Amino acid sequence: MKQKKKFFNVKLFYRRTALVIYDIISIIAASYLALLIRYNFEMNEIPDYFIDPISSFLPFGIVLTLLVLYFFRMYSSLWAYAGESELQNLVISSVLSTAIYAVGLQFFRVEGKQAEPISYYFMYLFILITLIFVSRFSYRFLRSLKHRSQNKNNAISVMIIGAGEAANAIVKEIVNSNFSTMVIRCIIDDDPGKAGKFIQGIKVVGGRDKIIEYADLYEVDEIIMAMPSASRQSISQILDICKETNCKLRSLPGMYQLVNGEVSVSKLRDVEVEDLLGRDPIEVDLDSILDYVQGKTILVTGGGGSIGSEIMRQVAGHNPKRLILVDIYENSAYDIQQELKIKYPELDLVVLIASVRNTNRINWIFKTYKPDIVYHAAAHKHVPLMETSPNEAIKNNVFGTFKTAQAAAMNGVKRFVMISTDKAVNPTNIMGASKRICEMIVQTFNRHYDTEFVAVRFGNVLGSNGSVIPLFKKQIMAGGPVTVTHPDIIRYFMTIPEAVSLVLQAGAYAKGGEIFVLDMGKPVKILDLAKNLIKLSGYRVDEDIKIEFTGLRPGEKLYEELLMDEEGLTETKNKSIFIGKPIELDEDEFFKLLKELKDESKNESSDIRPLVHEIVPTYKYKSDEKN
């Protein structure tokens, strides 16, 4: 027979009993102390007709007051974490019990004598609130002192930037937590009206011009950015100052954390290098996406990859009729499948394992599911790896695109959007050249089929598979060195959600045959990214973490262009999206060379580059490179 669990908590019983006894003493003390204060502590001056009613009503007053305090949870709150709500309940319960006390005393008045003066009740209320406050909040105060004392010598010294609600929440949690090893030294805020003020005992020492001074004065280890609603430009300017302090930087994810009341130390994240790009997120007209995706069957090739999976996420949020994921790698496909199942349980989601190189499989998928819109993100994208396996780049990128586009055309797909790259412009590597051929394929197909074929071209995507940022982070965690190919190499950068939002909107603008070009802002030096990431991680460049230059990799160039010279630019409604004019080509010659290219790659040609150059005249390569 199972033993019944004991629900009686002895420790809690003793604690609540102690509080009740304390409150009884407090009520008695307040009842008589109020009279003493009223008569300047002259006992002989207090008339008996004031003392007698109080003594007679006191037992009833104690019981009624304890009941009011119980109703307002004065015996069930966690006083170690007491805040505004508990303080509010304390004041209201005290006011209410004082009112009951005042009414009750009237029944015990000495006949023919005046009642207690009004000032007595105000004194009683003040003393009662004070005594109850001391009993409830002293534990939290003593606990906070103990925490600060324990962590004073071995804690992480912290500076907070921002003196708003987010900072208040972070300070509160750090100060009260038994588990935090942080000690907040000071707060920075640009508002002159806040300088010299205190947030829970922590002083606001000044604006951003004081960051370096006080970081040095207090030997700060970490700086927390508590400005979730600040603009990217403002954050970038402050981070430029912070990175000179050699402190590790962390920040709150965003304003929604405040709205949802989720601000906490656990929500802090390391400041990412994209925070230093110095621009606000690109705005996208979500309504235009909704109009052409809603109620449609959408197919995404490479749907498990970094770009493809984000397309899946954003499309899933715009009410498609059915969403189909096609990918050759089952692990990544499984991950995004589980994510979407949890977030969108009503979504008609189909996950298929398939290679775009498999003609029969791709044809079957299109014939079976009849998608309305296709986002073709499947591709080999890693430049150095494709340089050593050029035939694979051609098989997968060029002919995977050809087969997928042909299946789309044969099965009534309304719109086909191919994800391209800035490396397709004047390519110096086989990956870029293969993507340029893909652009030529979709533009050619657009002239012969009802399907609207378009391509979207953008640069490097922060955080995507093969991106330089994850590599830098791993190298920093390992203690360095951080490897940069060339001190002058520059790249355009965009976040994954930004890139995909613009891809979806470009798809909404499509009429067929266009190459959409995304404006990615100013190019960024990779060396600057490496330096900033080292500094934001709390290390000193070339002292703690060294930077080494390894030389340009095969097929890599110093800068990327987004358009070729012969392409013109046409603006769209979104100022971040442009349209490149289609380039005329000899289709007969193009398809003839494609057939040769297919045969050469299938036969594992020892050097396929000359034939690729014949198809893409702007492709430049080193003739002495070996496969």
Side-chain angles (χ1 to χ4, degrees):
M1 183 176 177
K2 290 185 179 179
Q3 188 176 0
K4 290 185 178 180
K5 292 182 179 179
K6 293 182 179 180
F7 293 96
F8 185 73
N9 189 318
V10 176
K11 186 177 181 181
L12 184 61
F13 173 76
Y14 286 144
R15 185 177 297 172
R16 288 179 176 175
T17 301
L19 279 177
V20 169
I21 294 171
Y22 176 91
D23 288 342
I24 291 172
I25 296 171
S26 298
I27 296 165
I28 296 171
S31 299
Y32 292 108
L33 194 57
L35 268 180
L36 280 172
I37 294 173
R38 171 68 178 76
Y39 285 92
N40 299 317
F41 292 94
E42 296 289 341
M43 280 291 295
N44 297 330
E45 297 292 326
I46 305 174
D48 290 339
Y49 56 80
F50 281 167
I51 297 177
D52 292 343
I54 293 173
S55 300
S56 300
F57 176 69
L58 195 55
F60 302 98
I62 290 172
V63 172
L64 291 171
T65 301
L66 292 178
L67 288 173
V68 172
L69 294 176
Y70 175 80
F71 180 80
F72 280 89
R73 301 193 296 274
M74 290 295 104
Y75 302 108
S76 56
S77 295
L78 290 172
W79 295 104
Y81 305 99
E84 292 180 10
S85 177
E86 286 76 16
L87 181 59
Q88 184 179 8
N89 284 342
L90 188 157
V91 172
I92 294 173
S93 62
S94 298
V95 170
L96 183 58
S97 63
T98 301
I100 294 172
Y101 194 85
V103 172
L105 275 179
Q106 303 310 309
F107 293 99
F108 292 86
R109 280 177 56 189
V110 176
E111 190 174 347
K113 299 295 183 179
Q114 71 180 82
E116 274 74 9
I118 297 297
S119 60
Y120 167 79
Y121 298 109
F122 283 105
M123 292 288 184
Y124 173 85
L125 174 62
F126 174 77
I127 295 169
L128 186 64
I129 290 176
T130 301
L131 292 174
I132 296 177
F133 177 87
V134 168
S135 68
R136 267 61 174 185
F137 283 82
S138 60
Y139 178 68
R140 173 181 168 174
F141 175 72
L142 293 172
R143 186 170 170 271
S144 174
L145 285 180
K146 179 183 177 183
H147 167 68
R148 292 188 186 189
S149 175
Q150 288 175 340
N151 291 321
K152 187 174 182 181
N153 297 323
N154 62 352
I156 298 169
S157 184
V158 172
M159 170 190 286
I160 293 180
I161 299 180
E165 289 296 327
N168 182 58
I170 292 297
V171 171
K172 180 180 178 181
E173 183 167 354
I174 290 175
V175 168
N176 293 320
S177 174
N178 272 334
F179 305 100
S180 172
T181 57
M182 297 178 179
V183 171
I184 304 171
R185 301 298 184 187
C186 62
I187 298 173
I188 297 290
D189 197 286
D190 285 335
D191 185 353
K194 294 179 179 178
K197 303 291 178 61
F198 291 82
I199 295 180
Q200 300 192 48
I202 310 298
K203 188 176 182 179
V204 180
V205 296
R208 66 182 70 180
D209 57 311
K210 300 290 185 182
I211 291 174
I212 295 176
E213 176 186 344
Y214 279 90
D216 180 60
L217 178 65
Y218 290 118
E219 298 181 345
V220 171
D221 301 305
E222 289 192 10
I223 297 176
I224 296 175
M225 299 284 292
M227 303 188 304
S229 58
S231 68
R232 283 275 186 173
Q233 185 177 7
S234 178
I235 291 174
S236 177
Q237 291 169 353
I238 292 174
L239 289 179
D240 280 339
I241 300 172
C242 291
K243 69 185 183 184
E244 301 304 323
T245 64
N246 295 320
C247 299
K248 184 175 181 179
L249 272 80
R250 306 176 82 186
S251 73
L252 287 174
M255 190 64 195
Y256 74 93
Q257 299 287 356
L258 284 178
V259 176
N260 294 342
E262 296 178 4
V263 173
S264 68
V265 174
S266 64
K267 296 293 180 183
L268 293 173
R269 62 168 173 81
D270 291 347
V271 172
E272 304 288 355
V273 73
E274 50 262 41
D275 293 323
L276 282 170
L277 293 181
R279 60 172 175 80
D280 291 325
I282 295 171
E283 298 290 333
V284 175
D285 178 12
L286 294 178
D287 290 335
S288 66
I289 298 173
L290 180 63
D291 287 343
Y292 89 98
V293 168
Q294 188 176 26
K296 303 289 197 310
T297 297
I298 313 296
L299 185 147
V300 183
T301 68
S306 51
I307 300 299
S309 61
E310 183 62 24
I311 293 176
M312 296 285 293
R313 291 185 190 96
Q314 294 196 26
V315 170
H318 288 92
N319 303 312
K321 178 182 177 182
R322 174 179 284 170
L323 185 54
I324 305 167
L325 182 155
V326 176
D327 203 297
I328 188 62
Y329 185 48
E330 72 272 19
N331 290 346
S332 58
Y334 175 80
D335 289 341
I336 188 66
Q337 178 191 44
Q338 298 309 305
E339 178 186 331
L340 295 180
K341 274 186 175 182
I342 294 171
K343 192 170 184 180
Y344 304 101
E346 303 300 320
L347 176 66
D348 184 356
L349 177 64
V350 177
V351 177
L352 303 170
I353 302 302
S355 169
V356 292
R357 293 158 62 165
N358 187 328
T359 307
N360 292 336
R361 176 66 169 155
I362 290 299
N363 287 341
W364 181 87
I365 290 172
F366 277 81
K367 184 178 180 180
T368 302
Y369 293 99
K370 298 289 183 183
D372 298 299
I373 301 170
V374 173
Y375 293 99
H376 181 52
H380 288 325
K381 305 181 183 75
H382 200 281
V383 170
L385 290 180
M386 291 305 99
E387 286 303 292
T388 55
S389 303
N391 290 316
E392 293 306 300
I394 297 302
K395 292 174 192 175
N396 195 72
N397 294 0
V398 174
F399 294 103
T401 297
F402 189 98
K403 292 172 182 180
T404 307
Q406 192 170 53
M410 294 294 100
N411 288 279
V413 171
K414 294 180 177 62
R415 190 166 295 169
F416 184 99
V417 182
M418 189 203 80
I419 309 301
S420 190
T421 171
D422 56 0
K423 294 174 177 61
V425 183
N426 300 322
T428 57
N429 53 70
I430 200 72
M431 193 282 283
S434 70
K435 296 298 277 186
R436 176 57 192 146
I437 298 174
C438 293
E439 292 179 353
M440 296 164 73
I441 289 171
V442 298
Q443 286 188 318
T444 303
F445 272 42
N446 187 70
R447 299 187 186 101
H448 297 279
Y449 297 102
D450 293 333
T451 301
E452 296 168 347
F453 287 94
V454 299
V456 182
R457 186 189 290 165
F458 53 82
N460 295 269
V461 179
L462 287 170
S464 63
N465 295 334
S467 171
V468 69
I469 304 303
L471 173 62
F472 284 170
K473 287 182 178 180
K474 288 180 182 178
Q475 291 175 334
I476 291 171
M477 287 179 65
V482 171
T483 56
V484 178
T485 57
H486 193 283
D488 297 322
I489 192 168
I490 61 173
R491 290 291 182 266
Y492 292 95
F493 282 100
M494 183 177 284
T495 65
I496 293 175
E498 279 181 326
V500 170
S501 295
L502 288 173
V503 166
L504 293 176
Q505 191 166 358
Y509 294 153
K511 292 181 173 59
E514 303 99 334
I515 294 180
F516 289 95
V517 180
L518 307 186
D519 180 4
M520 306 191 71
K522 295 180 180 179
V524 178
K525 288 186 73 171
I526 302 298
L527 177 59
D528 290 341
L529 287 184
K531 287 181 177 179
N532 288 336
L533 198 55
I534 291 171
K535 290 177 180 178
L536 293 179
S537 301
Y539 299 106
R540 290 166 294 184
V541 178
D542 289 332
E543 291 183 42
D544 302 319
I545 303 289
K546 293 187 179 297
I547 294 178
E548 290 184 359
F549 298 105
T550 58
L552 290 176
R553 296 173 298 182
E556 193 172 46
K557 54 183 177 180
L558 287 178
Y559 62 93
E560 309 288 359
E561 308 106 312
L562 292 175
L563 277 175
M564 290 184 283
D565 293 337
E566 59 268 36
E567 290 176 309
L569 274 181
T570 304
E571 289 187 348
T572 65
K573 294 178 183 178
N574 188 317
K575 294 181 180 179
S576 295
I577 302 175
F578 298 89
I579 300 174
K581 183 181 178 182
I583 298 172
E584 297 297 327
L585 55 84
D586 185 334
E587 291 185 10
D588 291 336
E589 180 66 13
F590 176 59
F591 283 113
K592 174 176 171 286
L593 291 173
L594 272 185
K595 187 179 184 308
E596 290 182 32
L597 186 66
K598 183 178 181 180
D599 293 338
E600 289 288 316
S601 62
K602 188 176 180 180
N603 294 327
E604 301 298 338
S605 169
S606 60
D607 191 1
I608 206 168
R609 291 178 175 82
L611 182 53
V612 172
H613 172 71
E614 196 172 346
I615 300 173
V616 183
T618 55
Y619 168 48
K620 307 297 181 185
Y621 65 96
K622 292 182 180 179
S623 58
D624 60 345
E625 287 180 349
K626 302 297 180 184
N627 291 349

